[in-house]
Amino acid sequence: MLEKTQKGDLDITSWILWFLASLRHAIEEAETTVANVLDKARFWDRAAQFGLNERQIKMLNRLLDGFEGKLTSSKWAKIADCSQDTAGRDIAALVDLGLLRRGEGGGRNTHYEICLPGS
């Protein structure tokens, strides 16, 4: 855009509009990043009072960092390298503490979502 402006009639209006749009996009991305960091910090401030095990911490971090798909007890067991029963106990404890909640659906579609402060 700058090169086009320099080779044209020196009207920089289009360049200024492009620059301001780019700046706005960068600011919006930064705001999103900061909001995510603050959400994660508030979550861990709340979770710090509980004696979480390594598996729970690992999985909660995965969820906070943008877990793809839906978290099920089977996925938990596979990722955390533990038995299905252990995964179920870990999840149940986090649900009881209010750090996880059951997603919509049930039965074979049962999945879990992280409970961020204010959500």
Side-chain angles (χ1 to χ4, degrees):
M1 186 57 73
L2 182 58
E3 183 178 341
K4 181 180 175 187
T5 301
Q6 288 174 333
K7 291 183 179 182
D9 60 4
L10 300 180
D11 178 9
I12 62 168
T13 303
S14 59
W15 182 83
I16 289 175
L17 293 173
W18 170 84
F19 176 80
L20 291 174
S22 297
L23 180 61
R24 180 182 183 155
H25 177 73
I27 290 170
E28 289 170 351
E29 290 291 317
E31 287 175 340
T32 300
T33 300
V34 168
N36 290 339
V37 168
L38 290 174
D39 283 344
K40 191 172 181 178
R42 282 191 285 273
F43 177 86
W44 284 117
D45 281 347
R46 184 177 55 153
Q49 63 185 319
F50 308 116
L52 304 179
N53 64 46
E54 285 185 37
R55 291 181 308 277
Q56 291 168 322
I57 293 168
K58 175 183 177 179
M59 294 304 295
L60 289 171
N61 271 320
R62 292 278 289 265
L63 289 169
L64 288 166
D65 291 339
F67 186 82
E68 293 204 20
K70 295 180 178 181
L71 177 64
T72 63
S73 59
S74 297
K75 288 181 185 177
W76 181 293
K78 185 173 183 174
I79 294 168
D81 193 27
C82 64
S83 71
Q84 186 75 31
D85 289 341
T86 299
R89 284 190 298 273
D90 283 349
I91 291 169
L94 293 173
V95 169
D96 289 344
L97 295 172
L99 298 176
L100 284 183
R101 68 175 164 251
R102 281 186 115 138
E104 295 292 320
R108 295 180 62 86
N109 294 323
T110 300
H111 65 280
Y112 301 90
E113 301 166 348
I114 198 142
C115 296
L116 292 174
S119 64

